Amino acid sequence: MKGKPVITRSTENGVLKVSITEQNAAQNLPQVIPVTTTTPRAEKPLLVMIDPGHGGKDPGAIGNEGTYEKHVVLHIARRLQTLLDKQHGIHAVLTRQDDVFIPLYHRVSLAHQHQADLFISIHADGFTNDQVSGASVFALSEHGAGSAMARYLSQSENSADVLYDNDFKTDDQYLKETLFDLDQHETIHRSMNFGTHLAANIVKVHHMHSPHPEQAGFAVLKSPRIPSVLVETSFITNKQEEKLLGEPVFQEKMARALADGINSYFINEKKNNLLT
Ligand SMILES: [Zn+2]
């Protein structure tokens, strides 16, 4: 396209259609290119990629009593997987099953390889002030999205051609960027919505450090198409919360809250025709 692209979207029977037309070309025949269409999936269960933070040589935050973030988050993640797998129509996969190191971008690629519908990274916060406590939920920030685009569109890793293989192929860098931008904006919006559903359920079992989802540039949230959040389940550097994190009862309560949040998000997405 020579001019500025105008993007329009419509949803029909659960199929999202995105059209790109050229601005100021209204008098001419509009060039409508169907770009991303999400085909309704009848049988396939919704796939949730659960990412226990850190692992292996990366212990994450360490509590004063010696509790490792990488261990407690794996316990919560496994419990969440069990709860989700019990439900009809949902399948949950972990990015790591054991105490192993996985690079951050590899966690995002795993979600893409599995064609995940959701990505949830589970952590336990650490801070120098041991009085700080509570859970937090993060989605990707716009700034983080900008750097993600640069990375994806570079040839080194996760090339955009891989992402758009089934839909659309183009050598036009500007069009590629526009498509990426469009996808990521939509995804951030859905991630924030997902975060709101999670926070609403976490607050029933634990107090929140901040009541609303926040935005940050975490690398694991940089998937352009999969709604992704990072949950800090509490502060491992806080004495009471370090104790809680080690307790199976708390781990199960937190996992249940996350499962409820995931369910409530899926129900909402179905209602809005964004899932089939
Ligand atoms: Zn962490």
Side-chain angles (χ1 to χ4, degrees):
M1 283 182 196
K2 292 185 193 78
K4 190 173 182 289
V6 178
I7 297 156
T8 50
R9 287 180 240 183
S10 61
T11 310
E12 216 174 294
N13 300 326
V15 179
L16 176 67
K17 287 189 178 168
V18 181
S19 303
I20 300 186
T21 49
E22 197 176 325
Q23 201 179 41
N24 302 326
Q27 294 92 333
N28 309 329
L29 273 180
Q31 272 193 304
V32 180
I33 313 165
V35 179
T36 54
T37 53
T38 329
T39 317
R41 286 171 296 183
E43 304 296 330
K44 193 174 166 281
L46 293 166
L47 196 135
V48 180
M49 180 62 69
I50 305 168
D51 175 45
H54 313 278
K57 66 182 180 187
D58 169 18
I62 302 171
N64 293 319
E65 303 293 321
T67 309
Y68 279 28
E69 177 183 359
K70 64 173 183 178
H71 294 317
V72 289
V73 296
L74 182 58
H75 290 311
I76 296 173
R78 283 195 183 127
R79 289 175 186 275
L80 176 59
Q81 183 187 32
T82 305
L83 289 168
L84 291 175
D85 272 343
K86 275 184 197 158
Q87 296 180 38
H88 180 73
I90 296 184
H91 179 48
V93 178
L94 296 177
T95 53
R96 66 176 178 98
Q97 308 273 351
D98 302 298
D99 184 15
V100 289
F101 176 76
I102 303 177
L104 296 175
Y105 269 93
H106 187 56
R107 299 171 191 246
V108 180
S109 332
L110 279 171
H112 278 274
Q113 281 166 29
H114 282 84
Q115 297 184 299
D117 295 282
L118 268 188
F119 179 91
I120 177 169
S121 192
I122 300 176
H123 289 251
D125 235 334
F127 196 58
T128 45
N129 179 347
D130 63 7
Q131 297 305 302
V132 177
S133 66
S136 323
V137 178
F138 292 91
L140 186 63
S141 62
E142 298 293 334
H143 179 74
S147 62
M149 172 153 82
R151 190 173 181 115
Y152 267 94
L153 295 180
S154 74
Q155 290 304 306
S156 57
E157 197 174 352
N158 294 317
S159 145
D161 290 335
V162 176
L163 285 170
Y164 297 108
D165 206 28
N166 299 322
D167 306 329
F168 191 70
K169 271 190 196 293
T170 177
D171 290 328
D172 186 329
Q173 190 68 12
Y174 185 60
L175 186 53
K176 272 186 193 175
E177 287 183 17
T178 306
L179 291 173
F180 189 96
D181 207 38
L182 177 76
D183 270 343
Q184 191 129 57
H185 267 86
E186 175 86 20
T187 302
I188 288 177
H189 180 77
R190 292 171 78 189
S191 303
M192 285 299 280
N193 182 27
F194 175 33
T196 306
H197 284 269
L198 285 174
N201 283 280
I202 293 171
V203 78
K204 293 175 189 169
V205 300
H206 194 57
H207 82 276
M208 299 288 293
H209 178 62
S210 92
H212 304 292
E214 298 173 80
Q215 289 182 279
F218 293 122
V220 289
L221 300 179
K222 290 181 179 176
S223 166
R225 283 195 164 175
I226 304 167
S228 305
V229 299
L230 185 146
V231 178
E232 298 281 6
T233 49
S234 49
F235 278 81
I236 203 165
T237 42
N238 175 284
K239 204 176 171 184
Q240 285 82 28
E241 296 201 334
E242 178 180 8
K243 192 164 169 283
L244 275 179
L245 282 164
E247 288 173 3
V249 174
F250 178 79
Q251 292 169 0
E252 184 69 15
K253 263 206 269 189
M254 183 56 72
R256 231 170 246 286
L258 300 178
D260 289 346
I262 288 166
N263 270 318
S264 128
Y265 167 79
F266 277 147
I267 289 167
N268 190 259
E269 289 267 288
K270 279 178 186 164
K271 213 162 62 189
N272 292 323
N273 253 342
L274 291 167
L275 293 172
T276 50

